[in-house]
């Protein structure tokens, strides 16, 4: 009987509260071992310890966790994670797997090829059957994004194979000097 | 401050840069309206995903670009709200009361035009009020030292945590989590390595950009993919039909627009309330002031004008606490803080002192942006009306690759992509469990400044912190004493506004 009442009262907010309280306690005790010792005490006199602020945050975690634990028995909120149906869970998991694969492919095969594959696979999974359109978009958009970031904003993306086609020293027209981070004032 | 205001004109109208400033701002407005017009794609997501672009261009281009997205996005949501009763953003929900009935009567064009004119009017008036307010507030803020700054930041973080979340303690916990994430890396006083848990990749701290894109953009994408659908809508008549809005019709709405502008401006200055509540408040006020309230909800132009003027009037005033005190009022302005910080411009009293000319240049650009807003909106209404027909199955992966590209360019490290996915997953779970990520992002961004100011205060106190604060720094003491009272009042006010919002909706 007691177990049933307890399970009715313990909810996701209670669990979150216990997690936060534990984090606070752990943080408080590991703080000294996780903060380097200052070689020279610049700024740190006797009254200011490098552990002071982290420990205040840890105590806040602990105290707020206890507060949430007490309040959780009164809060009426729905756990929307539990309300997710099979389709939603499958779609999110598939997307996460695709994202993990995308990171790997992008780093080793370059941004353009990785992104093209990602667009083709993901759009097909989510129901697109116009493969000609998907193919055009899968090639054009990554190239545009690549050019925007590398040739206009002068940053870098995994280049292969575009660096074989577009010379790395080539940048878009002269006003670029005003849109990089040079001071203009 | 007046010299800074004049200096702002000189910077903005520098012949070498003025053209590019307006080109970037027009680009931001267009992209904002485009994304705003897509149901399920929010202005917040657009700002988070396009934030990296602003990192790598001069702040005079990058910040107006983001402000353009902000302004355009809030308006863009009204287009599908009017045509198909599907608000593109939360801010446009109140527009669905009278927009779709007007479309059914064959007056879609009138509805879209009054939405545009009201949005531009509300935005323009609130921008002017913003500029008028920023100077005096910044002048007062300049007298603040580290103890006052620490106290103000503390107050702001607590108030935002209280008002952004339905449950106060959950907002505070997310704030504490953000402060912890902000502590990872190096401490701001002695540059001591801390909480890196032996991971070299976070020795310099959690990267800001992947974190912001992760918590604000990826959850929206995850929610978008919960249902497999090739299109946002399957089929609909999206023609913009009917006669144009006449000047007499616009004139009849002016009183409503002015009222809603003041409501939106007032709400914009209160942290954590935002455009959605402003639109409902503006709508409710217009209905109660009308001689024919029974017409509201059945296709009344004033209803559209009230909601749209109010939600766009919020945009400018949210910058007042941000630029003068360094306090972002909502999640959209948190992203703006990220852009400022990336350029070495930390919002707060010192920013107005050190870069006052640049800040005023950005604010003046906002006023001129409204002219472009009107032009782009007017010309592109038929195009934005068709945006909902874009294939969702293609747009979602495109958004995702943009998010990944933006996270990569920050440091060119694969680890940053892992940070993006981690915070994306975290943001998605947090949303499903009713934990608001806004206080966490604010704690992450403002935590180091708070810790630095707090550390300086402790050093200045020479071992007697309470005595120093309560005897030598009366303003700090007053803020600390007023913090619980002010927080309670703000929390109660927000809860009442939300209740009124729930009743109206």
């Amino acid at each position: 009987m007691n177990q049933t009442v307890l399970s009715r009262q313990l909810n996701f907010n209670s669990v979150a509260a216990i997690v936060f309280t534990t984090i606070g306690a752990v943080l408080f005790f590991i703080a000294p071992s996780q903060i380097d010792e200052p070689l020279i005490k610049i700024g740190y006199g006797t009254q200011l310890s490098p552990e002071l602020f982290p420990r205040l945050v840890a105590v806040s975690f602990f105290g707020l966790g206890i507060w949430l634990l007490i309040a959780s028995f009164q809060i009426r909120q729905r756990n929307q994670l539990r309300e997710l149906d099979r389709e939603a869970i499958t779609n999110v998991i598939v997307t996460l797997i695709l994202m993990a694969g995308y990171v790997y492919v992008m780093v080793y095969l370059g941004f353009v090829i990785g992104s093209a594959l990602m667009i083709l696979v993901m759009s097909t999974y989510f129901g697109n059957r116009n493969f000609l359109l998907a193919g055009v978009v899968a090639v054009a958009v990554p190239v545009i994004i690549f050019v925007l970031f590398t040739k206009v904003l002068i940053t870098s993306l995994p280049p292969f194979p575009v660096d074989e086609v577009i010379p790395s020293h080539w940048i878009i027209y002269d006003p670029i000097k005003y849109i990089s981070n040079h001071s203009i004032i | 401050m007046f010299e800074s205001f004049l200096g702002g004109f000189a910077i903005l109208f520098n012949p070498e840069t003025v053209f590019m400033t307006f080109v970037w701002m027009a680009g931001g407005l267009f992209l904002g309206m485009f994304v705003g017009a897509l149901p399920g794609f929010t202005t917040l997501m657009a700002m988070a995903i396009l934030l990296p672009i602003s990192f790598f261009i001069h702040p005079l281009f990058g910040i107006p670009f983001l402000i353009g997205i902000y302004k355009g996005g809030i308006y863009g949501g009204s287009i599908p709200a009017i045509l198909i009763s599907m608000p593109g953003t939360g801010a446009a929900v109140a527009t669905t009361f009278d927009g779709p009935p007007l479309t059914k009567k064959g007056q879609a064009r009138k509805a879209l035009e009054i939405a545009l004119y009201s949005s531009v009017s509300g935005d323009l008036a609130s921008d002017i009020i913003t500029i008028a307010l920023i100077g005096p507030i910044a002048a007062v803020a300049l007298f603040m030292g580290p103890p006052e700054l620490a106290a103000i930041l503390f107050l702001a973080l607590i108030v935002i945590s209280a008002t952004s979340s339905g449950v106060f303690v959950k907002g505070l916990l997310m704030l504490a989590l953000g402060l912890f994430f902000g502590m990872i890396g190096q401490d701001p006083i002695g540059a001591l390595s801390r909480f890196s848990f032996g991971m070299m990749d976070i020795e310099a701290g959690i990267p800001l950009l992947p974190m912001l894109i992760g918590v604000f953009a990826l959850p929206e994408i995850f929610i978008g993919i919960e249902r497999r659908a090739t299109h946002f809508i399957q089929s609909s008549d999206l023609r913009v039909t009917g006669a144009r809005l006449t000047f007499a019709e616009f004139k009849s709405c002016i009183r409503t627009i002015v009222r809603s502008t003041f409501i939106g401006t007032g709400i914009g200055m209160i942290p954590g309330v935002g455009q959605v509540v402003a639109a409902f408040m503006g709508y409710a006020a217009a209905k109660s002031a009308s001689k024919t309230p029974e017409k509201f909800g059945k296709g009344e132009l004033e209803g559209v004008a009230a909601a749209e003027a109010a939600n766009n009037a919020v945009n400018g005033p949210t910058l007042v606490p941000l630029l003068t005190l360094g306090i972002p009022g909502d999640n959209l302005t948190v992203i703006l803080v990220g852009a400022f910080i990336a350029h070495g411009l930390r919002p707060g009293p010192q920013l107005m002192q050190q870069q006052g000319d640049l800040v005023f240049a950005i604010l003046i650009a906002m006023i001129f942006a409204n002219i472009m807003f009107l032009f782009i909106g007017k010309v592109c209404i038929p195009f934005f009306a068709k945006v909902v027909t874009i294939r969702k199955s293609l747009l979602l992966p495109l958004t995702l690759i943009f998010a990944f590209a933006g996270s990569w360019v920050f440091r060119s490290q694969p680890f940053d992509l892992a940070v993006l996915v981690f915070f994306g997953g975290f943001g998605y779970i947090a949303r499903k469990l009713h934990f608001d990520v806004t206080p966490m992002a604010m704690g992450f961004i403002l935590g180091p400044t708070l810790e630095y100011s707090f550390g300086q205060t402790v050093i200045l106190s020479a071992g007697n912190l309470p005595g120093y604060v309560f005897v030598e720094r009366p303003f700090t003491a007053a803020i600390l004493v007023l913090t619980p009272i002010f927080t309670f009042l703000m929390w109660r006010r927000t809860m009442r506004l939300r209740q009124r919002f729930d009743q109206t909706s």
Side-chain angles (χ1 to χ4, degrees):
Chain A
M1 178 65 187
N2 282 343
Q3 252 187 340
T4 317
V5 172
L6 189 68
S7 64
R8 269 187 203 154
Q9 289 183 334
L10 269 180
N11 51 53
F12 70 93
N13 279 319
S14 320
V15 175
I18 293 165
V19 171
F20 278 121
T21 310
T22 312
I23 291 174
V26 171
L27 205 58
F28 187 87
F29 289 110
I30 66 165
S33 64
Q34 282 296 323
I35 301 173
D36 280 358
E37 278 293 315
L39 293 173
I40 308 166
K41 289 204 169 186
I42 299 171
Y44 289 113
T46 49
Q47 70 275 29
L48 179 63
S49 156
E51 291 157 24
L52 178 62
F53 193 80
R55 282 201 150 157
L56 281 175
V57 173
V59 170
S60 308
F61 257 123
F62 191 84
L64 292 167
I66 301 278
W67 180 2
L68 180 60
L69 185 63
I70 296 163
S72 66
F73 301 115
Q74 307 294 325
I75 299 169
R76 294 282 168 265
Q77 284 179 327
R78 284 164 31 222
N79 181 347
Q80 292 182 346
L81 275 180
R82 279 196 174 174
E83 292 172 4
L84 289 175
D85 58 19
R86 182 174 289 197
E87 183 191 354
I89 294 167
T90 310
N91 289 351
V92 171
I93 290 172
V94 166
T95 306
L96 281 170
I97 293 168
L98 287 175
M99 281 158 70
Y102 174 50
V103 171
Y104 188 81
V105 175
M106 177 176 141
V107 170
Y108 291 100
L109 288 183
F111 176 76
V112 173
I113 290 181
S115 301
L117 289 172
M118 177 71 170
I119 293 168
L120 282 173
V121 174
M122 197 171 160
S123 62
T124 306
Y125 176 77
F126 283 100
N128 177 56
R129 293 295 176 267
N130 187 340
F131 296 111
L132 180 65
L133 177 67
V136 171
V137 170
V139 174
V141 175
V143 169
I144 291 168
I145 294 175
F146 185 85
V147 170
L148 172 70
F149 276 114
T150 60
K151 307 300 173 190
V152 177
L153 302 174
I154 320 176
T155 59
S156 72
L157 281 168
F160 180 81
V162 182
D163 56 343
E164 304 293 321
V165 183
I166 304 173
S168 58
H169 63 270
W170 180 79
I171 54 170
I172 290 180
Y173 78 124
D174 202 34
I176 195 73
K177 65 186 176 186
Y178 301 120
I179 56 174
S180 62
N181 263 324
H182 301 302
S183 173
I184 53 166
I185 299 160
Chain B
M1 278 299 152
F2 190 67
E3 285 116 24
S4 293
F5 177 69
L6 295 178
F9 273 100
I11 288 179
L12 180 63
F13 291 102
N14 178 345
E16 286 186 314
T17 56
V18 63
F19 176 69
M20 289 306 289
T21 305
F22 285 101
V23 165
W24 279 102
M25 194 179 259
L29 281 162
F30 183 86
L31 287 170
M33 288 184 207
F34 177 85
V35 175
L38 287 166
F41 276 51
T42 62
T43 311
L44 179 66
M45 186 178 85
M47 283 182 73
I49 284 183
L50 297 169
L51 178 63
I53 292 178
S54 77
F55 270 41
F56 299 102
I57 53 180
H58 192 277
L60 190 56
F61 308 145
I63 292 166
F65 171 70
L66 283 177
I67 291 173
I69 298 169
Y70 186 7
K71 284 172 180 284
I74 301 299
Y75 161 69
S78 68
I79 298 168
I82 289 167
L83 293 175
I84 51 170
S85 193
M86 193 184 273
T89 57
V93 174
T95 311
T96 59
F97 298 158
D98 282 282
L102 281 164
T103 302
K104 278 184 192 158
K105 287 185 200 170
Q107 297 180 355
R109 190 184 297 274
K110 275 186 200 291
L112 288 166
E113 287 184 355
I114 193 68
L116 176 65
Y117 300 151
S118 310
S119 296
V120 173
S121 309
D123 223 327
L124 179 65
S126 71
D127 287 349
I128 293 167
I129 295 169
T130 301
I131 290 183
L133 286 175
I134 271 187
I137 295 175
V140 173
L142 279 176
F143 293 102
M144 297 195 309
E148 288 77 22
L149 187 61
I152 291 259
L153 282 172
F154 179 70
L155 169 69
L157 287 170
I158 300 283
V159 166
I160 289 159
S161 304
T163 53
S164 65
S165 179
V167 179
F168 187 12
V169 64
K170 291 177 85 168
L172 288 176
L173 270 167
M174 291 303 274
L175 171 64
L177 194 60
L179 290 173
F180 169 65
F181 286 138
M183 289 192 309
I184 292 172
Q186 291 186 332
D187 95 82
I189 296 172
L192 305 172
S193 177
R194 62 183 184 184
F195 298 111
S196 56
F197 302 98
M199 295 167 72
M200 287 294 288
D201 291 304
I202 54 171
E203 284 282 347
I206 293 174
L208 174 70
L209 194 50
M211 189 262 195
L212 284 180
I213 298 176
V215 291
F216 288 127
L218 249 55
E220 310 267 353
I221 296 174
F222 284 133
I223 287 168
I225 59 168
E226 283 176 0
R227 291 279 161 272
R228 271 203 229 189
T230 52
H231 292 76
F232 291 97
I233 53 166
Q234 284 309 314
S235 64
S236 184
D237 185 5
L238 294 162
R239 279 175 301 170
V240 180
T241 54
R244 289 194 173 279
L245 187 76
T246 63
F247 182 69
E249 285 167 331
F250 176 70
K251 207 174 151 191
S252 71
C253 294
I254 285 178
R255 188 188 287 262
T256 300
I257 292 170
V258 171
R259 187 190 309 109
S260 283
T261 300
F262 278 107
I263 290 171
T265 304
I267 285 177
M269 281 185 270
I270 304 171
V273 184
Q275 286 89 358
V276 183
V277 173
F280 277 89
M281 295 270 292
Y283 184 85
K287 191 176 175 182
S288 60
S290 172
K291 288 175 187 165
T292 53
E294 70 282 357
K295 286 187 181 173
F296 279 72
K298 293 173 187 163
E300 176 65 59
L301 277 176
E302 271 190 79
V304 176
E308 286 301 310
N311 67 23
N312 268 78
V314 172
N315 301 348
T318 52
L319 298 180
V320 175
L322 174 75
L323 294 174
T324 53
L325 302 169
I327 303 164
D330 59 12
N331 45 18
L332 294 168
T333 38
V334 170
I335 293 177
L336 281 178
V337 176
F340 272 102
I341 289 174
H343 288 292
L345 306 167
R346 190 168 281 279
Q350 278 74 34
L351 176 64
M352 294 301 289
Q353 189 180 32
Q354 292 158 4
Q355 296 283 351
D357 294 6
L358 178 64
V359 171
F360 273 110
I362 291 167
L363 293 172
I364 297 162
M366 272 171 52
I367 295 201
F368 285 94
N370 290 304
I371 299 164
M372 288 190 292
F373 185 172
L374 186 65
F375 179 75
I376 295 170
K378 183 96 176 150
V379 171
C380 298
I381 279 178
F383 167 72
F384 292 128
K386 300 278 183 194
V387 158
V388 284
T389 61
I390 289 177
R391 284 167 190 265
K392 186 181 170 187
S393 55
L394 277 172
L395 206 55
L396 280 169
L398 295 184
T399 314
L400 207 59
I401 65 163
F402 210 95
F404 273 77
S407 300
W408 174 275
V409 296
F410 193 52
R411 300 192 303 181
S412 301
Q413 287 185 11
F415 176 78
D416 289 359
L417 302 181
V419 172
L420 170 79
V421 176
F422 170 79
F423 279 103
F426 177 83
Y428 178 68
I429 293 169
R431 184 184 287 204
K432 294 286 176 189
L433 299 180
H434 310 278
F435 282 92
D436 191 338
V437 293
T438 307
M440 189 191 86
M442 290 193 182
F444 178 76
I445 290 174
L446 299 178
T449 316
L450 175 66
E451 184 177 357
Y452 188 70
S453 307
F454 175 69
Q456 284 180 310
T457 308
V458 172
I459 293 167
L460 285 168
S461 72
N464 180 17
L465 189 61
Y468 174 70
V469 168
F470 285 94
V471 177
E472 293 183 43
R473 312 298 292 217
F475 186 63
T476 309
I479 296 168
L480 291 176
V481 169
L482 288 173
T483 293
I485 302 163
F486 190 64
T487 305
F488 174 72
L489 291 175
M490 293 296 287
W491 175 79
R492 196 177 63 173
R493 184 174 170 76
T494 309
M495 290 303 122
R496 282 184 182 169
L497 285 172
R498 283 201 178 134
Q499 277 172 3
R500 282 173 68 179
F501 159 75
D502 290 340
Q503 283 164 6
T504 318
S505 58

